[in-house]
Amino acid sequence: MLKNWLQKAEIFNLDDSHWLPWMIGRKIVRGPHSSRSLSKAKLAIIGIDPGASAEVRKKFYNLAWDFDHSKIVDLGDLRKSNSEFLIPILRELAAGSIVPLIIGHSREQFRAQYQSFQSVKSKVSVAMLDQRIRLKAEKSRVADGYSLNPAVHNRRQKLYHLSHLGSQRHLNDPKLYTLFDQKGYEYVRLGNLRKSTQAAEPILRDADLLGVDLSALQLSAAPAQTDASTAGLSVEEAATLCRYAGLSDKLQSFGIFGFERKASEEAVSQTADTAAQLIWYFCDGFANRYRDFPVTHKGLVEYLVDHPSYSNLTFWRSRKSGRWWVQSPAFKYKGEERHRLIACSQADYDAASRGQLPERLIAAFGRS
């Protein structure tokens, strides 16, 4: 089926002599495949816009291969660059537990990333890294320019949770932050995110999918953005967040959007280099996954806290990774098991032990 939706990428025409033995170009599996031939694949690259994805591939294929335990395939480009055409192939990959790495142009394609995953999982936790919250504060199913609208304002939506990272206050409707607070969604504005990227790790660990809009980065880091702003994350900060996402055993879909392919040659080259680095660090995180929760509960150490508001509050710590989760109180929980353990930090456990509880966890208990 995949061949019906995909076409060869330009880079597939090059032979291995174009790359050194240690480069990704020598190791990655290239070309459209049948579902059967993807049986051992872990990650699959898909280009939506051939022009943007070609530039990113040139940079990515020249980076070091350090993923020996993760079979990565490059499926090529979509035959049609529209959201509806993307949904069937993403649905097929999700059903086969293959994580798609999407190289997009239009941020509307993030909607396809969400909707395809939604058709496989009954409740979806979405994370977005962007300078703008692309959502109307009032109810509206219109998606044009507001890629999060169908997820939030559709009555039949299966959204479990929404997390937004990197928004700039002066670029967003203040009512959106009120809406997030009312719904128990999470947001970390740019200033707080830059103070501590580590604080965003539990948020990304709780997500099923992540969409990265290049406008979240500083203009100097990604000059070929479709919605440029001088403020934003550095390449190093964004790469750290992408690695956190890769490390999460729960996260099963990753996409990069907002590439302005019609910019100057120098701007396109520099932005492609940045996008390739973000993909590389996601792959690096994926290759080093600890395979603890939700893969298995084995190796989790239980800690009980007699909290004044939640008696016998249960925290878990992984022996493998040292990461922490808190269990949603049983009398409140009615959702899927994979959402019952909420990613948190040791600082959250320490606060609970003192009779306190961060607002983030209180809100998480409320949506269970």
Side-chain angles (χ1 to χ4, degrees):
M1 173 182 174
L2 298 182
K3 290 183 178 180
N4 297 329
W5 305 96
L6 296 162
Q7 60 185 348
K8 291 175 62 177
E10 178 183 328
I11 205 167
F12 291 180
N13 296 321
L14 302 180
D15 58 45
D16 287 349
S17 64
H18 284 78
W19 301 284
L20 297 174
W22 51 270
M23 291 180 175
I24 289 174
R26 281 282 189 98
K27 304 287 187 177
I28 197 168
V29 179
R30 291 174 276 167
H33 297 266
S34 65
S35 300
R36 188 172 183 179
S37 66
L38 287 173
S39 61
K40 294 183 179 180
K42 303 296 183 183
L43 295 169
I45 295 174
I46 302 171
I48 300 180
D49 178 81
S53 59
E55 297 297 330
V56 176
R57 282 186 175 98
K58 290 177 186 177
K59 303 292 185 178
F60 182 67
Y61 274 43
N62 283 332
L63 300 180
W65 175 268
D66 198 19
F67 320 118
D68 284 342
H69 300 295
S70 299
K71 179 181 177 182
I72 303 177
V73 299
D74 189 338
L75 297 179
D77 297 320
L78 288 185
R79 293 185 183 276
K80 296 181 181 179
S81 300
N82 60 63
S83 301
E84 288 68 25
F85 206 79
L86 178 62
I87 291 175
I89 186 171
L90 293 185
R91 185 187 297 128
E92 184 171 343
L93 293 176
S97 297
I98 299 171
V99 176
L101 298 175
I102 305 163
I103 305 172
H105 159 59
S106 168
R107 54 184 52 93
E108 296 304 316
Q109 292 154 354
F110 174 72
R111 178 170 56 89
Q113 182 187 2
Y114 161 72
Q115 290 179 330
S116 61
F117 197 88
Q118 177 192 43
S119 67
V120 178
K121 299 291 185 181
S122 60
K123 292 290 183 179
V124 183
S125 182
V126 175
M128 189 71 194
L129 179 62
D130 195 347
Q131 68 171 349
R132 297 182 188 270
I133 301 174
R134 302 187 191 275
L135 173 69
K136 280 183 173 287
E138 55 282 342
K139 290 185 178 180
S140 172
R141 292 181 62 182
V142 176
D144 188 20
Y146 300 93
S147 53
L148 291 173
N149 270 15
V152 175
H153 294 314
N154 188 342
R155 291 182 179 180
R156 294 179 294 176
Q157 56 83 19
K158 300 177 182 180
L159 185 68
Y160 177 75
H161 186 47
L162 173 61
S163 302
H164 197 283
L165 305 175
S167 66
Q168 298 181 36
R169 191 172 182 177
H170 59 281
L171 296 176
N172 290 280
D173 183 348
K175 293 179 182 178
L176 288 172
Y177 296 111
T178 302
L179 177 66
F180 267 57
D181 291 337
Q182 291 172 343
K183 288 184 171 289
Y185 296 157
E186 291 180 84
Y187 59 87
V188 182
R189 289 193 285 252
L190 177 63
N192 290 329
L193 187 60
R194 296 202 69 185
K195 286 179 183 177
S196 175
T197 52
Q198 175 66 40
E201 187 276 330
I203 296 174
L204 291 168
R205 186 158 30 106
D206 253 350
D208 290 310
L209 61 91
L210 171 65
V212 177
D213 195 296
L214 289 171
S215 70
L217 282 86
Q218 297 168 352
L219 182 60
S220 58
Q225 333 177 348
T226 55
D227 188 13
S229 173
T230 53
L233 296 168
S234 68
V235 178
E236 294 83 1
E237 290 164 338
T240 297
L241 295 172
C242 290
R243 190 174 191 277
Y244 287 152
L247 280 168
S248 171
D249 289 290
K250 189 176 182 181
L251 195 135
Q252 295 299 311
S253 184
F254 177 82
I256 290 183
F257 309 98
F259 197 125
E260 179 48 76
R261 61 194 186 280
K262 295 181 181 179
S264 69
E265 183 177 344
E266 181 180 359
V268 166
S269 178
Q270 186 175 344
T271 305
D273 185 70
T274 294
Q277 289 185 56
L278 300 187
I279 294 172
W280 192 96
Y281 277 97
F282 177 83
C283 294
D284 181 60
F286 187 93
N288 289 283
R289 285 187 171 185
Y290 295 99
R291 301 192 64 78
D292 42 27
F293 182 79
V295 176
T296 179
H297 290 81
K298 293 181 180 179
L300 298 185
V301 181
E302 183 180 15
Y303 296 82
L304 296 178
V305 175
D306 188 13
H307 192 274
S309 300
Y310 305 93
S311 59
N312 294 327
L313 194 59
T314 305
F315 283 80
W316 299 87
R317 178 180 61 83
S318 169
R319 288 195 180 99
K320 290 182 178 180
S321 64
R323 299 183 295 188
W324 289 78
W325 291 264
V326 62
Q327 185 169 303
S328 182
F331 69 90
K332 284 180 169 290
Y333 189 74
K334 298 179 181 179
E336 296 180 3
E337 189 64 23
R338 68 194 180 92
H339 290 311
R340 187 175 185 185
L341 291 191
I342 302 156
C344 63
S345 65
Q346 182 171 348
D348 295 330
Y349 166 74
D350 293 339
S353 299
R354 298 192 298 269
Q356 304 168 358
L357 201 65
E359 288 294 328
R360 174 178 178 267
L361 297 186
I362 295 175
F365 292 164
R367 65 175 176 264
S368 300

